[in-house]
C-alpha cells in the first residue's frame, strides 16, 4: 500500500494535523437509470435543419440562428446538423429546455474554443447518424478556466445513435459534462486529448456505447466528491478502450462494472474509486502502477497543506469487490500492486481474476493482492496470480520509498493470518482449496497451466512478466489432491491446501445477480469480519474473549507477548496467532490510546512514551521498536 505523502524524519519530528471534511458512502453496487430523453433517437425530416458549409450555415426552422461561423440554438427542440462548419455550435437555451441535437455526418472545426459549447440548457441529447467529427482550437478565451473541452456542455448530456463521433481535444479535455453524462450507444472516439478524454462532474454511465480514448491525462473521469449520491461511474455494457499516461477510469465515490468489455491498454492506474464493484464483463488492464486502486475520498477542505482527493483508509470505508466477470491485470514497473485496496479486498461469486506482477509477491507491498483490511478469496472464484518473488515492507522498508525517509505505514505490521503466507508478513485468506508455491523462475510470456489428475485444466494464464511464485485457486480444486503445474516445457506437482476456516463478510454483494436491484443506498458500508470462534484448547491459559470471538485460541500458559492491541495481548504458537493470558508474567496491561488508532491494527505506545512524531485525524502517533504506535491517553 503506497501512501502519497512521504514523511522524512525531519518532517516526522514536527507535529502536523490534517482535517478533512468527509462524506459517508453506503456500499454499492450502483445502478444507472436511463430515462426516455437519454434513449430518444427518433426525429423527423421536418425538424429544424442546419446545413453548413465553411463559415456559413442555412437554418430551416425556428430556435436557431447562424452568423459568421456561429450557430446559436436558443429554444427547446430537435435540430439536425449536416455538412461542415468552420466555427462553433452554441446552445444558449433556458434552464428548462431539452435540446435534441442530431449530428448527421457533420464536421465542426473551431478556431476559437469548443466545437460544441452548451452554455445553458436542462438537458442535451446528441444522436449520432453517419460519421461525425469535432475539433477544437489549441487556445481558448476562458473565464474561471471554462470552457475547456471540445464538446463542453453545462447541463445533463446523453449521446446515443447508430453513428460515430470523433472528438479531438487540442486545448484540454475532449468531452466534458458539468452534470450527469449518459453514453447510451454509438461509437465515440477520442484520438487525442491534451488532458482528460471524457470528464463529467456528477456521474458517467455507459450503456451500450463503444468508446476508444487516447488521452494524456485520465481517460474517463468523474470529479464530484461532496455528495454521496454522485461522483460515480457505472459500466453496464459496451466496449471501452483507453490509452492514457495517467488513470484509465476514475470515480470519486463508486465504480460499478456490470457488463461490457474494458481494455485499458496503457495507464499508470487502471481503475480507481472509493468503492469498486465488478459484477461481470471482461476487464483487461496494463498499468505501470496499481491495476485497481480503492481509496477513501475526502474533500479539498483541509488544513496542513494536503491535497484533497483520494486518501488512505482501512476497513469498510473503501473496498474492491469482484464477484463476476473476468479481470486480467498485467503490471510493469516498480512500487505497484495488482489490486491495491486501502480498505477491504473481496473476490468471490463467479469471478475470474488473473494477475501478472513484475517482481513483488502474491501478498503484501508490491504484490498481486494488497489490502489494509480484509483480503479474502471466497469460494467460487477462479484466481491465478504470478509474481517475481518476495517483497519487502514494514516500517522504513519498501513503503519508505527510495529517499530513505519514513512513510506512514498504513498497514499493520503484524497480520494475523487466515490463509496462505503464514506468520510475519501481509497475507490473505482463501476460503476454498488453493496452491500457493514457489516455482523455478519462468521467463516473460511463459504460459502457466494447472491440471488435475484427470488432465483437466483447472486454470491457465500467460503472464507478460517473468515469475517464480504463483497462487491458484478454483472451485474445481480439492484439498489434499495433487495438481500438475505446467510452465512452458517443464512441470512440477503441488498439493492443494485446505481452505481457510471461518467465514468473512463481503463489503458488498456476493454474486452478480444481487447487483441488478442494488443502488448506492442499498447496503450500509459498515464492514465487520466474522469468523467461527475456535474453542479454547484443554489446559490452555485464559485470554481475552475478544480474541476468542475472532476465531483464535488461547496460547499456552506463560506465552511471550508479541503484540498488544485493544483486543488484548497476542502471542504466536505453531506459526499461528493466539491470545496470551493477561496474567502472564510477560503480558502487560493493554495501554489506552485512541480507538481510531488501534482499530487500524496498531498498538498503543508505552505509557512513558509521549514523544509525538505525527498527528492526523486518528490521533497522536509515536514510534516504538521501529513501529508506529498510538500515544497513550495518559500522556
Amino acid at each position: 500500500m503506497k501512501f502519497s505523502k512521504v514523511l522524512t524524519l525531519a518532517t516526522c519530528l514536527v507535529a502536523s494535523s490534517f482535517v478533512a471534511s468527509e462524506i459517508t458512502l453506503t456500499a454499492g453496487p450502483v445502478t444507472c437509470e436511463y430515462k426516455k430523453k437519454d434513449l430518444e433517437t427518433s426525429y423527423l425530416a421536418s425538424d429544424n435543419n442546419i446545413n453548413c458549409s465553411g463559415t456559413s450555415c442555412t437554418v430551416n426552422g425556428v430556435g436557431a440562428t447562424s452568423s459568421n461561423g456561429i450557430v446559436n440554438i436558443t429554444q427547446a427542440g430537435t435540430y439536425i446538423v449536416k455538412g461542415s462548419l468552420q466555427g462553433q455550435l452554441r446552445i444558449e437555451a433556458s434552464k428548462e429546455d431539452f435540446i435534441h441535437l442530431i449530428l448527421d455526418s457533420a464536421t465542426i472545426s473551431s478556431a476559437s474554443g469548443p466545437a460544441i459549447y452548451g452554455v445553458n440548457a436542462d438537458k442535451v441529447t446528441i444522436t449520432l447518424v453517419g460519421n461525425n467529427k469535432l475539433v477544437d482550437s489549441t487556445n481558448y478565451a476562458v473565464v474561471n478556466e471554462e470552457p475547456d473541452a471540445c464538446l463542453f456542455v453545462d447541463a445533463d448530456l446523453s449521446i446515443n445513435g447508430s453513428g460515430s463521433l470523433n472528438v479531438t481535444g487540442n486545448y484540454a479535455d475532449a468531452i466534458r459534462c458539468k452534470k450527469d453524462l449518459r453514453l447510451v450507444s454509438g461509437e465515440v472516439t477520442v484520438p487525442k486529448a491534451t488532458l482528460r478524454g471524457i470528464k463529467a462532474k456528477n456521474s458517467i454511465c455507459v450503456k451500450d456505447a463503444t468508446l476508444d480514448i487516447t488521452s494524456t491525462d485520465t481517460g474517463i473521469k468523474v470529479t464530484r466528491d461532496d455528495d454521496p449520491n454522485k461522483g460515480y461511474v457505472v459500466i453496464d455494457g459496451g466496449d471501452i478502450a483507453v490509452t492514457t499516461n495517467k488513470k484509465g477510469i476514475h470515480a470519486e465515490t463508486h465504480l460499478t462494472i456490470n457488463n461490457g468489455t474494458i481494455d485499458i491498454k496503457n495507464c499508470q492506474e487502471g481503475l480507481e474509486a472509493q468503492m469498486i464493484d465488478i459484477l461481470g464483463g471482461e476487464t483487461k488492464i496494463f498499468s505501470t502502477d496499481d491495476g485497481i486502486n480503492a481509496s477513501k475520498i475526502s474533500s479539498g477542505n483541509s488544513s496542513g497543506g494536503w491535497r484533497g482527493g483520494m486518501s488512505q483508509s482501512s476497513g469498510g470505508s473503501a473496498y474492491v469487490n469482484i464477484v463476476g466477470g473476468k479481470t486480467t491485470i498485467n503490471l510493469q514497473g516498480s512500487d505497484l500492486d495488482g489490486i491495491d485496496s486501502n480498505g477491504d479486498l473481496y473476490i468471490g461469486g463467479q469471478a475470474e481474476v488473473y494477475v501478472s506482477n513484475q517482481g513483488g509477491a502474491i501478498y503484501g507491498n508490491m504484490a498481486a493482492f494488497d489490502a489494509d483490511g480484509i483480503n479474502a478469496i471466497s469460494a467460487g472464484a477462479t484466481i491465478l496470480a504470478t509474481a517475481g518473488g518476495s517483497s519487502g515492507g514494514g516500517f522504513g522498508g519498501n513503503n519508505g520509498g527510495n529517499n530513505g525517509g519514513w512513510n506512514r505505514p498504513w498497514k499493520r505490521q503484524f497480520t494475523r493470518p487466515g490463509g496462505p503466507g503464514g506468520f510475519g508478513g501481509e497475507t490473505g485468506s482463501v476460503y476454498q482449496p488453493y496452491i500457493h508455491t514457489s516455482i523455478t523462475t519462468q521467463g516473460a510470456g511463459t504460459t502457466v497451466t494447472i491440471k488435475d489428475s484427470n488432465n483437466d485444466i483447472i486454470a491457465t494464464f500467460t503472464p507478460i512478466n517473468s515469475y517464480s511464485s504463483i497462487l491458484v485457486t478454483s472451485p474445481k480444486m480439492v484439498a489434499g489432491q495433487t495438481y500438475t503445474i505446467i510452465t512452458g516445457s517443464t512441470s512440477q506437482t503441488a498439493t492443494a491446501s485446505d481452505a481457510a476456516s471461518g467465514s468473512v463478510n463481503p463489503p458488498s454483494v456476493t454474486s452478480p445477480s444481487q447487483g441488478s436491484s442494488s443502488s448506492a443506498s442499498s447496503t450500509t458500508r459498515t464492514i465487520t469480519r466474522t469468523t467461527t470462534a475456535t474453542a479454547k484448547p484443554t489446559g490452555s491459559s485464559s485470554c481475552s474473549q475478544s480474541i476468542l470471538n475472532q476465531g483464535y485460541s488461547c496460547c499456552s500458559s506463560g506465552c511471550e507477548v508479541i503484540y498488544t492491541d485493544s483486543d488484548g495481548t497476542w502471542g504466536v504458537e505453531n506459526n499461528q496467532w493466539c491470545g496470551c493470558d493477561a496474567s502472564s508474567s510477560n503480558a502487560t496491561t493493554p495501554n489506552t490510546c485512541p480507538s481510531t488508532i488501534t482499530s487500524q491494527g496498531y498498538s498503543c505506545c508505552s505509557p512513558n512514551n509521549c514523544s509525538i512524531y505525527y498527528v492526523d485525524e486518528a490521533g497522536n502517533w509515536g514510534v516504538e521498536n521501529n513501529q508506529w504506535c498510538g500515544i497513550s491517553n495518559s500522556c
Side-chain angles (χ1 to χ4, degrees):
M1 200 68 56
K2 295 177 290 297
F3 184 56
S4 60
K5 191 162 183 75
V6 176
L7 301 174
T8 63
L9 177 58
T11 304
C12 285
L13 293 175
V14 179
S16 61
S17 64
F18 173 69
V19 179
S21 175
E22 297 181 353
I23 62 174
T24 300
L25 297 185
T26 53
V30 173
T31 58
C32 275
E33 181 180 5
Y34 300 90
K35 298 181 179 179
K36 181 179 179 181
K37 291 178 181 178
D38 299 317
L39 306 174
E40 183 63 70
T41 59
S42 63
Y43 62 97
L44 301 173
S46 59
D47 287 327
N48 301 301
N49 278 259
I50 303 171
N51 296 284
C52 300
S53 178
T55 59
S56 177
C57 296
T58 300
V59 178
N60 293 318
V62 297
T65 59
S66 175
S67 177
N68 298 321
I70 302 296
V71 175
N72 200 349
I73 296 174
T74 57
Q75 296 181 18
T78 300
Y79 299 85
I80 306 168
V81 181
K82 298 181 180 181
S84 178
L85 170 63
Q86 300 292 322
Q88 184 181 87
L89 189 151
R90 296 173 65 92
I91 300 172
E92 296 185 273
S94 74
K95 292 184 178 181
E96 294 78 31
D97 286 344
F98 171 52
I99 307 297
H100 190 189
L101 193 65
I102 314 298
L103 295 183
D104 186 352
S105 302
T107 297
I108 305 175
S109 300
S110 174
S112 179
I116 296 180
Y117 185 8
V119 180
N120 199 28
D122 174 56
K123 184 175 184 66
V124 176
T125 293
I126 299 176
T127 295
L128 305 176
V129 178
N131 299 319
N132 303 275
K133 187 175 183 179
L134 305 178
V135 181
D136 67 349
S137 59
T138 56
N139 295 306
Y140 278 33
V142 299
V143 177
N144 294 328
E145 300 182 354
E146 293 182 2
D148 61 354
C150 181
L151 171 55
F152 182 97
V153 176
D154 191 357
D156 291 335
L157 172 64
S158 294
I159 299 177
N160 63 34
S162 59
S164 66
L165 178 63
N166 186 296
V167 186
T168 298
N170 286 315
Y171 176 72
D173 300 342
I175 299 174
R176 182 181 176 192
C177 168
K178 292 193 67 179
K179 294 186 180 178
D180 294 299
L181 174 60
R182 301 289 181 264
L183 299 164
V184 177
S185 56
E187 298 181 11
V188 178
T189 300
V190 176
K192 172 192 174 182
T194 300
L195 291 180
R196 278 76 50 172
I198 299 176
K199 183 173 79 171
K201 181 177 182 179
N202 289 341
S203 67
I204 293 176
C205 296
V206 181
K207 190 174 187 291
D208 294 309
T210 298
L211 311 176
D212 190 348
I213 301 166
T214 301
S215 63
T216 301
D217 206 319
T218 302
I220 298 174
K221 184 173 186 177
V222 171
T223 62
R224 188 158 187 180
D225 63 358
D226 60 355
D227 184 340
N229 297 313
K230 297 292 183 180
Y232 60 85
V233 174
V234 176
I235 312 297
D236 287 318
D239 295 292
I240 300 172
V242 176
T243 302
T244 179
N245 294 335
K246 294 199 175 175
K247 299 172 183 179
I249 301 176
H250 170 93
E252 288 292 335
T253 57
H254 291 271
L255 170 58
T256 298
I257 299 174
N258 290 310
N259 213 326
T261 300
I262 300 172
D263 187 2
I264 301 179
K265 299 177 179 180
N266 188 76
C267 65
Q268 282 187 347
E269 289 192 337
L271 308 177
E272 184 176 64
Q274 177 169 333
M275 296 182 175
I276 299 174
D277 287 280
I278 300 178
L279 282 69
E282 182 171 2
T283 301
K284 298 178 182 178
I285 300 169
F286 173 80
S287 66
T288 58
D289 202 323
D290 299 335
I292 300 176
N293 180 267
S295 300
K296 188 175 180 181
I297 65 169
S298 61
S299 76
N301 300 322
S302 61
S303 61
W306 285 19
R307 176 180 173 272
M310 311 307 287
S311 63
Q312 300 291 335
S313 178
S314 63
S317 58
Y319 68 76
V320 176
N321 189 58
I322 306 176
V323 296
K326 181 179 179 180
T327 302
T328 303
I329 302 171
N330 287 294
L331 308 153
Q332 286 189 338
S334 58
D335 196 19
L336 44 75
D337 298 300
I339 302 176
D340 180 357
S341 177
N342 289 276
D344 295 326
L345 168 57
Y346 179 93
I347 305 174
Q350 295 85 48
E352 292 183 55
V353 178
Y354 304 90
V355 181
S356 170
N357 201 31
Q358 186 178 42
I362 300 298
Y363 287 101
N365 272 339
M366 297 169 53
F369 306 113
D370 184 3
D372 276 358
I374 295 168
N375 194 341
I377 297 172
S378 187
T382 297
I383 311 292
L384 207 171
T386 65
S390 61
S391 66
F395 188 74
N398 286 339
N399 247 3
N402 297 322
N403 62 357
W406 288 0
N407 203 26
R408 242 306 250 117
W410 289 91
K411 289 183 297 294
R412 65 186 63 192
Q413 302 303 320
F414 297 93
T415 302
R416 298 190 287 272
F423 172 71
E426 207 174 308
T427 186
S429 300
V430 182
Y431 292 91
Q432 65 183 5
Y434 65 92
I435 294 170
H436 183 194
T437 188
S438 295
I439 60 174
T440 303
T441 299
Q442 302 297 313
T446 303
T447 300
V448 54
T449 301
I450 291 83
K451 292 185 176 182
D452 62 15
S453 58
N454 295 321
N455 209 35
D456 293 328
I457 295 176
I458 299 299
T460 185
F461 177 43
T462 303
I464 68 168
N465 302 298
S466 60
Y467 56 96
S468 58
S469 178
I470 70 167
L471 169 68
V472 60
T473 183
S474 164
K476 300 177 182 178
M477 297 178 72
V478 178
Q481 290 195 5
T482 300
Y483 295 84
T484 303
I485 303 170
I486 304 169
T487 50
S489 60
T490 64
S491 66
Q492 69 182 65
T493 59
T495 302
S497 299
D498 290 329
S501 60
S503 61
V504 61
N505 280 348
S508 180
V509 297
T510 58
S511 70
S513 60
Q514 291 179 276
S516 59
S517 60
S518 298
S519 66
S521 59
S522 61
T523 343
T524 64
R525 73 179 180 92
T526 304
I527 312 294
T528 55
R529 184 189 304 248
T530 59
T531 56
T532 303
T534 303
K536 187 169 59 176
T538 304
S540 64
S541 65
S542 61
C543 61
S544 166
Q545 187 63 43
S546 295
I547 292 176
L548 293 174
N549 289 342
Q550 296 177 56
Y552 300 98
S553 61
C554 293
C555 305
S556 301
S557 299
C559 67
E560 179 183 358
V561 177
I562 302 296
Y563 183 68
T564 302
D565 62 10
S566 57
D567 294 323
T569 52
W570 296 84
V572 174
E573 290 183 353
N574 299 320
N575 205 32
Q576 297 292 329
W577 287 99
C578 55
C580 279
D581 187 343
S583 63
S584 170
S585 59
N586 293 316
T588 58
T589 302
N591 189 26
T592 57
C593 62
S595 61
T596 50
I597 290 177
T598 57
S599 65
Q600 298 180 48
Y602 298 99
S603 61
C604 297
C605 303
S606 302
N608 60 348
N609 180 0
C610 297
S611 299
I612 299 174
Y613 282 85
Y614 187 73
V615 178
D616 65 5
E617 67 276 14
N620 299 328
W621 296 83
V623 174
E624 283 184 354
N625 300 319
N626 208 30
Q627 302 287 337
W628 289 99
C629 57
I631 294 295
S632 171
N633 293 331
S634 63
C635 288

